[in-house]
Amino acid sequence: GDSVTQMEGPVTLSEEAFLTINCTYTATGYPSLFWYVQYPGEGLQLLLKATKADDKGSNKGFEATYRKETTSFHLEKGSVQVSDSAVYFCALSGSTDKLIFGTGTRLQVFP
Amino acid sequence: GAGVSQSPSNKVTEKGKDVELRCDPISGHTALYWYRQSLGQGLEFLIYFQGNSAPDKSGLPSDRFSAERTGGSVSTLTIQRTQQEDSAVYLCASSPQANTGELFFGEGSRLTVL
């Protein structure tokens, strides 16, 4: 069945460092891919999405490119801030109506 | 408010008791989802509704778990004879329609079974 694998955390960075959180997927057909973020004490919210191969989703300085050849959707940000500290979830919407999530990666950014 | 509302936000119960968790979706959203988030685990899909019907109940862990949705709006997740392994945060999300992947989540109901 469809699945998502993302790198384990926590990821610990200094402010202004470059961020990469890896995400790969297994799916039949052509899924849509998503990154959700959960800030401390808040509900999950959609960060960005891409619906077809080579699409780049972007929001709040974060980017992710849908790579069909490597079945990946890695999240990147050029310069992280303390306020980016959160748990990030990669997810896919494929052959069924449910959204399938990875296990989440905690990001901690220190000043 | 305009977001997804869940209640209670925290529930502590004794093993063997029944619990009900409630979700008020965003008005007009036809799709409603329940997920479970356990410590150190990802989000585990439980069930989703399209209107009042549940096309996919595949994620319900056992027959102690059930859910219903009435009037195309409020949903209740019921756990009977709770066990300690049921302790988790139960998340509800709604979406204008199914299969968009764009879900709006509530803040969750934290269940602790003693």
Side-chain angles (χ1 to χ4, degrees):
Chain A
D2 297 351
S3 66
V4 174
T5 301
Q6 60 182 108
M7 63 188 289
E8 293 189 16
V11 174
T12 304
L13 295 173
S14 298
E15 209 165 23
E16 299 183 3
F18 184 86
L19 168 71
T20 301
I21 300 178
N22 290 337
C23 171
T24 57
Y25 68 90
T26 301
T28 55
Y30 304 95
S32 295
L33 301 173
F34 305 83
W35 278 99
Y36 277 77
V37 60
Q38 188 175 30
Y39 296 104
E42 298 184 17
L44 273 84
Q45 55 188 272
L46 178 64
L47 179 61
L48 54 83
K49 69 173 185 178
T51 58
K52 60 183 187 296
D54 299 326
D55 266 3
K56 177 185 285 188
S58 61
N59 187 23
K60 299 182 180 181
F62 290 88
E63 293 183 339
T65 301
Y66 188 160
R67 302 285 190 199
K68 191 171 188 299
E69 63 276 15
T70 55
T71 62
S72 65
F73 192 55
H74 305 322
L75 182 68
E76 297 181 336
K77 187 175 185 182
S79 175
V80 294
Q81 305 300 311
V82 172
S83 58
D84 294 326
S85 298
V87 181
Y88 293 82
F89 293 88
C90 186
L92 73 81
S93 175
S95 55
T96 64
D97 288 336
K98 63 189 179 191
L99 195 60
I100 296 170
F101 287 87
T103 53
T105 302
R106 181 176 299 279
L107 170 64
Q108 298 176 317
V109 181
F110 293 96
Chain B
V4 176
S5 178
Q6 293 188 244
S7 61
S9 55
N10 277 287
K11 175 73 176 178
V12 180
T13 190
E14 294 180 347
K15 178 181 171 181
K17 301 286 190 183
D18 297 351
V19 297
E20 285 189 352
L21 307 176
R22 176 187 167 105
C23 174
D24 267 292
I26 293 172
S27 178
H29 281 194
T30 61
L32 185 148
Y33 301 78
W34 284 98
Y35 284 84
R36 180 167 71 174
Q37 186 176 22
S38 304
L39 191 63
Q41 304 292 318
L43 274 72
E44 176 187 5
F45 170 81
L46 298 178
I47 187 171
Y48 104 92
F49 291 89
Q50 179 61 42
N52 290 335
S53 64
D56 190 346
K57 303 179 183 180
S58 63
L60 294 177
S62 74
D63 58 8
R64 297 186 295 105
F65 288 72
S66 62
E68 65 174 11
R69 188 180 186 194
T70 55
S73 181
V74 172
S75 177
T76 302
L77 177 68
T78 301
I79 309 172
Q80 295 179 309
R81 304 181 303 282
T82 51
Q83 303 295 311
Q84 288 184 334
E85 61 262 28
D86 299 335
S87 297
V89 177
Y90 290 82
L91 297 174
C92 177
S94 68
S95 181
Q97 60 186 70
N99 206 23
T100 66
E102 298 189 36
L103 273 55
F104 295 79
F105 281 84
E107 293 188 13
S109 292
R110 181 177 297 276
L111 174 66
T112 303
V113 181
L114 302 178

